[in-house]
Amino acid sequence: MAKRYWLMKSEPDVYGFDDLLAEPNQTDHWDGVRNYQARNIMRDEMKVGDGVLFYHSNTKPPHVVGVAEVVREGYPDHTAFDSNEKYYDAKSDPDNPRWYMVDIRAVEKLPAIVPLDQLKSDERLVDMKVTQRGQRLSVQPVTATEFQVVVELAKANADAS
DNA sequence: GCCAACGTTGGC
DNA sequence: GCCAACGTTGGC
C-alpha cells in the first residue's frame, strides 16, 4: 500500500501541535475520537508512515500548523474504559472495544501556518474536505497532491513574510 | 455568542 | 426502521 495522507483536527486550547512537540519523542496517542467514521479510518486505514496534516480548529483563523506521521496503527482507545476519563464510554467494552486510536509523531512544524481561507481559495484544494461547508469529520483523508500543496503554501507564506 | 450542519439517541 | 429531539462541531 502506497503511503497515504490524512488531516487531523484538534482545538489548540485542548491539544495543539506544540503539545505534541513537547511529548517524549514528539509522539502521542490520538485519543478521544468518538465518531464512527473517524474511528473506522484510524482502525482500518491509517498505516505506519502515513503523512498527517495537523489542523487547528476553533481558533482564529483555523489553520494547518504542522506535519506528523503515523507511528502506530489502530488500537483500542483505553480512555473509553476509564470512568474517570473525560472520554469515558460505558458502551465500550475492553473485550470488544468501540473506539480506536493511532499514535502520531510530529515531523515538522510548518514554517508558517496555512489558514483555512487560503486553503479555500486555492483551486487545487477545492476537493479537500476541510474546505467544504459543514464538514466536521475530525480525521479525514487528503490526497498526496493536496498534502504537497499545503506544505508548499506554508513555505511560500514563510518566504513572503 | 450564534447558529448551520450533522451525528446520535430513543420513542414509536 | 423512521424521524423528531437533542447534543456537538466549528466557522463566522
Side-chain angles (χ1 to χ4, degrees):
Chain A
M1 176 63 77
K3 178 172 174 174
R4 290 200 281 175
Y5 298 90
W6 312 95
L7 178 143
M8 300 177 97
K9 293 183 191 172
S10 188
E11 301 189 20
D13 290 345
V14 178
Y15 193 93
F17 195 71
D18 287 339
D19 294 308
L20 182 61
L21 285 174
E23 300 289 347
N25 300 318
Q26 295 80 52
T27 299
D28 205 359
H29 48 263
W30 200 262
D31 63 14
V33 171
R34 297 293 178 264
N35 170 279
Y36 287 105
Q37 258 184 290
R39 186 278 312 264
N40 291 346
I41 289 173
M42 291 199 294
R43 186 189 60 188
D44 303 332
E45 301 197 51
M46 296 180 83
K47 300 299 175 191
V48 168
D50 282 359
V52 174
L53 294 174
F54 199 112
Y55 178 85
H56 281 167
S57 64
N58 242 324
T59 187
K60 290 185 180 179
H63 59 268
V64 176
V65 60
V67 172
E69 67 176 351
V70 178
V71 292
R72 181 173 173 184
E73 291 167 17
Y75 63 105
D77 182 344
H78 54 77
T79 66
F81 306 144
D82 183 346
S83 59
N84 295 319
E85 283 280 351
K86 179 182 175 190
Y87 297 113
Y88 174 64
D89 180 356
K91 294 173 185 163
S92 188
D93 181 335
D95 293 329
N96 185 21
R98 175 179 289 202
W99 304 115
Y100 284 73
M101 58 188 178
V102 297
D103 287 356
I104 63 170
R105 183 178 68 82
V107 173
E108 62 168 342
K109 189 167 186 171
L110 291 170
I113 64 166
V114 184
L116 180 59
D117 276 354
Q118 195 177 10
L119 299 177
K120 285 183 174 174
S121 62
D122 193 303
E123 62 182 14
R124 294 169 295 179
L125 303 177
V126 289
D127 290 330
M128 263 185 102
K129 292 193 179 355
V130 75
T131 64
Q132 290 162 17
R133 179 181 179 78
Q135 179 51 255
R136 301 185 311 173
L137 192 58
S138 60
V139 179
Q140 45 185 252
V142 302
T143 67
T145 303
E146 289 162 352
F147 185 94
Q148 193 56 44
V149 167
V150 172
V151 171
E152 283 172 10
L153 287 173
K155 288 177 179 156
N157 288 349
D159 290 343
S161 64

